[in-house]
Amino acid sequence: GSYSLEENLKPRVRWLKSLGLDDSQVAKIIMKFPHLIGSYSLEENLKPRVQWLMSLGLNNSQVAKMITKFPNLMGCSLEENLKPRVQWLKS
């Protein structure tokens, strides 16, 4: 698909940087997980995942580190993947 710099890339880069990521980390994330740019909604997908990670007690820099190491986390379903795994880890 075609991506608009204004509509897709810039808002996501700004948002990633607001989590404390630098340019090289943002570039690494986009290279590892290009779907982040176009396939996922910032409001409906990406922000809720970060908010959920923070609700587990992670701070901005811990979340930023997780996204940098495992950017595909941003593509996982909260209800089907992330929440059940955390419940399993806690049990």
Side-chain angles (χ1 to χ4, degrees), residues 52-53 55-57 82-91:
W52 179 74
L53 289 168
S55 78
L56 298 175
L82 299 176
K83 287 180 180 179
R85 287 195 176 124
V86 168
Q87 284 306 108
W88 179 80
L89 288 170
K90 286 181 173 179
S91 64

Side-chain angles (χ1 to χ4, degrees), residues 72-90:
N72 55 338
L73 271 179
M74 294 291 98
C76 291
S77 161
L78 273 177
E79 298 304 323
E80 292 174 29
N81 299 104
L82 299 176
K83 287 180 180 179
R85 287 195 176 124
V86 168
Q87 284 306 108
W88 179 80
L89 288 170
K90 286 181 173 179

Side-chain angles (χ1 to χ4, degrees), residues 21 25 59-70:
L21 294 160
Q25 290 170 309
N59 63 31
N60 259 25
S61 74
Q62 290 168 318
V63 169
K65 195 181 287 184
M66 276 187 85
I67 295 171
T68 304
K69 248 187 156 20
F70 309 107

Side-chain angles (χ1 to χ4, degrees), residues 9-78:
L9 186 61
K10 285 184 177 180
R12 283 161 177 75
V13 168
R14 272 195 301 274
W15 176 70
L16 288 166
K17 286 180 153 186
S18 77
L19 297 174
L21 294 160
D22 63 30
D23 287 337
S24 69
Q25 290 170 309
V26 170
K28 191 186 295 184
I29 289 166
I30 292 170
M31 282 174 49
K32 280 187 185 172
F33 193 64
H35 297 299
L36 189 74
I37 299 170
S39 300
Y40 298 101
S41 157
L42 201 50
E43 297 303 322
E44 292 174 28
N45 303 110
L46 305 177
K47 286 181 180 179
R49 285 175 182 84
V50 166
Q51 287 164 347
W52 179 74
L53 289 168
M54 290 180 163
S55 78
L56 298 175
L58 299 174
N59 63 31
N60 259 25
S61 74
Q62 290 168 318
V63 169
K65 195 181 287 184
M66 276 187 85
I67 295 171
T68 304
K69 248 187 156 20
F70 309 107
N72 55 338
L73 271 179
M74 294 291 98
C76 291
S77 161
L78 273 177

